Amino acid sequence: MASLNLLPHPASSLSHSLPFSSSSTCSSSFARGFVPCCNIHVLKPKGNLQTSQRRRYLRPFLVVKSAVDVADPPPTSSGYSGDTSSDPISSLKFNLLSAVSGLNRGLAANEDDLRKADTAAKELEAAGGLVDLSPDLDKLQGRWKLIYSSAFSSRTLGGSRPGPPTGRLLPITLGQVFQRIDILSKDFDNIVELQLGAPWPLSPLEVTATLAHKFELIGSAKIKIVFEKTTVKTTGNLSQLPPLDLPRIPDAFRPPSNTGSGEFEVTYLDKDTRLTRGDRGELRVFVIS
């Protein structure tokens, strides 16, 4: 049995330390400033007592069985806890994040994983309704982190388009992937962290590639991006090297499969989550970074 402590804690300081509001049966005790999650027993006297004795004896005794009976559920990477029953949208978002977790942004996804992620995404899209960016383009503003792409299951870094393969032939390790969107300058940058393998005894080369685009809204929720250039910057031990700009390939030398532009539709959007469907059926899931 834990030691008894009747000293109240300030309710305001405790509430700031909790990631979500408590729904336990001890909420009334918490509101009065006592330690939460305590089992309280009132010891009643035996036999007949005088009124003054009864009042004195019936003052409640707090018997604390455990200071913390149940630990708070750990939040996911996006801050959602497991208790989302009061908010259908949060519950659907949690289901989607659970479906894509552990898939290495889609590189480790199999057919069953793709199906589960697509089903969870469609449920969230249906609940959120049609997206109209015309009055709310500022919702795109910011730096978004890619947590899942269905096209990465093809095992290429180009997704549904031709791209370098991942594996032993070309040892490339994909790091974090971001999209940085500026609605004023119309900049749309895909930022990819990569680790390039090197023969022993050389260390792997760490680089960040920024694929700069310009974007325009061509429908209520459809966006067109046009590629401009790629900037490669070394990181890690070689971070002191200057960045290298790779200009856009002239259209005459560009392969038919790489036109330098693309389109996608935003199918769900709120302050911290964004879903898009690409022109080749690619599902992408982003969270605000």
Side-chain angles (χ1 to χ4, degrees), residues 157 170-173 194-199 203-207 232:
L157 299 183
L170 190 60
I172 299 178
T173 301
L194 298 170
Q195 187 181 78
L196 309 179
S203 300
L205 178 63
E206 298 177 357
V207 301
V232 178

Side-chain angles (χ1 to χ4, degrees), residues 37-74:
C37 297
C38 301
N39 294 320
I40 301 176
H41 299 269
V42 177
L43 303 181
K44 297 183 178 180
K46 295 181 179 180
N48 297 323
L49 296 176
Q50 298 296 328
T51 303
S52 60
Q53 293 176 317
R54 178 181 297 273
R55 289 177 178 173
R56 185 168 58 253
Y57 199 94
L58 287 180
R59 292 174 183 171
F61 293 86
L62 300 183
V63 181
V64 184
K65 283 189 175 181
S66 175
V68 180
D69 289 332
V70 180
D72 292 335

Side-chain angles (χ1 to χ4, degrees), residues 142-166:
R143 180 182 169 100
W144 298 84
K145 179 180 178 180
L146 177 71
I147 62 173
Y148 174 77
S149 170
S150 62
F152 278 169
S153 64
S154 63
R155 306 303 189 272
T156 73
L157 299 183
S160 55
R161 290 175 168 79
T166 59

Side-chain angles (χ1 to χ4, degrees), residues 13-220:
S13 61
L14 282 175
S15 62
H16 287 303
S17 65
L18 296 176
F20 48 84
S21 60
S22 174
S23 60
S24 67
T25 56
C26 301
S27 58
S28 60
S29 298
F30 174 77
R32 293 193 297 269
F34 293 110
V35 178
C37 297
C38 301
N39 294 320
I40 301 176
H41 299 269
V42 177
L43 303 181
K44 297 183 178 180
K46 295 181 179 180
N48 297 323
L49 296 176
Q50 298 296 328
T51 303
S52 60
Q53 293 176 317
R54 178 181 297 273
R55 289 177 178 173
R56 185 168 58 253
Y57 199 94
L58 287 180
R59 292 174 183 171
F61 293 86
L62 300 183
V63 181
V64 184
K65 283 189 175 181
S66 175
V68 180
D69 289 332
V70 180
D72 292 335
T76 65
S77 59
S78 296
Y80 301 111
S81 68
D83 185 12
T84 57
S85 57
S86 61
D87 187 351
I89 292 293
S90 295
S91 178
L92 293 174
K93 288 164 67 173
F94 180 79
N95 291 340
L96 175 59
L97 295 177
S98 299
V100 302
S101 64
L103 298 181
N104 192 14
R105 279 139 296 176
L107 289 169
N110 55 33
E111 290 297 327
D112 188 53
D113 296 326
L114 295 174
R115 179 185 57 80
K116 291 180 179 178
D118 189 69
T119 299
K122 288 179 178 178
E123 292 176 350
L124 179 58
E125 291 165 343
L130 295 178
V131 177
D132 187 1
L133 295 174
S134 302
D136 295 319
L137 191 61
D138 58 330
K139 290 185 177 180
L140 290 177
Q141 180 75 28
R143 180 182 169 100
W144 298 84
K145 179 180 178 180
L146 177 71
I147 62 173
Y148 174 77
S149 170
S150 62
F152 278 169
S153 64
S154 63
R155 306 303 189 272
T156 73
L157 299 183
S160 55
R161 290 175 168 79
T166 59
R168 296 180 178 179
L169 294 180
L170 190 60
I172 299 178
T173 301
L174 178 66
Q176 302 293 344
V177 179
F178 300 93
Q179 278 186 353
R180 184 174 56 207
I181 304 175
D182 189 327
I183 63 170
L184 296 179
S185 62
K186 302 300 182 182
D187 288 332
F188 191 101
D189 299 336
N190 288 323
I191 304 171
V192 184
E193 297 176 356
L194 298 170
Q195 187 181 78
L196 309 179
W200 187 87
L202 300 177
S203 300
L205 178 63
E206 298 177 357
V207 301
T208 297
T210 301
L211 288 71
H213 300 76
K214 291 292 184 181
F215 83 94
E216 62 175 319
L217 185 65
I218 60 175
S220 60

Side-chain angles (χ1 to χ4, degrees), residues 149-166 179 190 211 213 223-227 254-265 276-284:
S149 170
S150 62
F152 278 169
S153 64
S154 63
R155 306 303 189 272
T156 73
L157 299 183
S160 55
R161 290 175 168 79
T166 59
Q179 278 186 353
N190 288 323
L211 288 71
H213 300 76
I223 292 177
K224 179 180 180 180
I225 57 174
V226 178
F227 174 76
R254 189 183 303 275
S257 60
N258 186 4
T259 61
S261 65
E263 298 177 3
F264 64 88
E265 185 173 0
T276 66
R277 300 275 182 175
D279 51 6
R280 301 194 181 189
E282 177 181 4
L283 168 65
R284 291 186 179 184

